[in-house]
Amino acid sequence: MLIREIQMKDNQGIKNIIQNSLESLGLAIPGSAYFDPQLSHLHQYYSSLPHANYWIVEHAGEVMGGVGIAPFNEQAKICELQQLYLSPQAQGLGLANQLMETALAFAQQHYHHCYLETMHELAAACRLYAKFDFISLPAPLEGSEHSAMDAWYLKHLNS
């Protein structure tokens, strides 16, 4: 397995993984990442933002998942961990841990805090975030865009 920066050729593969994952969980709903306008062109989206990046997990030339870091509140030096998804065949192999380590190492270079939004019913994801010292918040940070989410986390980055 290889973790690398997203390329334009990866756009459709990662979009399919994200949407298929959300569909399988019954979360292909308004207010979720399923309808994000940038989902069809993640390479271009992350390339256009300052201090942002998206990483792909690739195996035998196939996109298996990914994760992104993007600015959330640049003035407060807060980034957002975004679009962490793995295909079913890539789950359970420790790849989410590797993606988190890659994303957080990048975030540490540019930000003081990392924010993320998810849903409580995604228990495995919530356990992963707790493992990486994300603290549960009682409400979303101002500027949050995913109204369907019901779990919010913040991590202090030791930069």
Side-chain angles (χ1 to χ4, degrees):
M1 299 279 182
L2 169 70
I3 295 178
R4 60 169 174 77
E5 293 183 10
I6 191 170
Q7 299 171 9
M8 199 165 324
K9 68 178 183 174
D10 303 317
N11 282 342
Q12 190 62 47
I14 193 62
K15 176 185 178 183
N16 291 345
I17 289 169
I18 293 168
Q19 288 188 326
N20 291 342
S21 179
L22 290 167
E23 286 171 8
S24 74
L25 298 166
L27 297 175
I29 56 175
S32 76
Y34 191 89
F35 294 104
D36 282 356
Q38 67 272 16
L39 202 54
S40 294
H41 52 275
L42 289 180
H43 173 264
Q44 297 90 318
Y45 174 73
Y46 284 93
S47 296
S48 72
L49 297 172
H51 308 301
N53 209 337
Y54 195 89
W55 297 269
I56 292 292
V57 173
E58 178 186 312
H59 177 66
E62 183 180 344
V63 174
M64 305 295 284
V67 67
I69 291 287
F72 183 83
N73 179 332
E74 288 185 88
Q75 194 169 22
K77 293 227 170 246
I78 301 172
C79 65
E80 184 175 15
L81 185 105
Q82 302 177 333
Q83 312 287 4
L84 174 57
Y85 292 93
L86 292 170
S87 64
Q89 59 269 38
Q91 295 174 5
L93 303 175
L95 295 172
N97 287 321
Q98 291 177 40
L99 285 169
M100 287 288 288
E101 289 167 1
T102 300
L104 292 173
F106 174 86
Q108 226 173 337
Q109 298 172 30
H110 305 285
Y111 300 98
H112 296 306
H113 293 89
C114 186
Y115 173 69
L116 67 86
E117 304 169 327
T118 188
M119 297 191 81
H120 284 110
E121 68 187 78
L122 302 176
C126 292
R127 284 191 304 274
L128 176 71
Y129 304 137
K131 176 182 172 181
F132 279 89
D133 299 323
F134 279 84
I135 304 300
S136 179
L137 300 175
L141 293 182
E142 187 175 324
S144 173
E145 294 181 1
H146 292 119
S147 59
M149 301 299 103
D150 66 2
W152 311 276
Y153 291 87
L154 190 68
K155 174 181 175 57
H156 177 74
L157 301 169
N158 301 317
S159 38

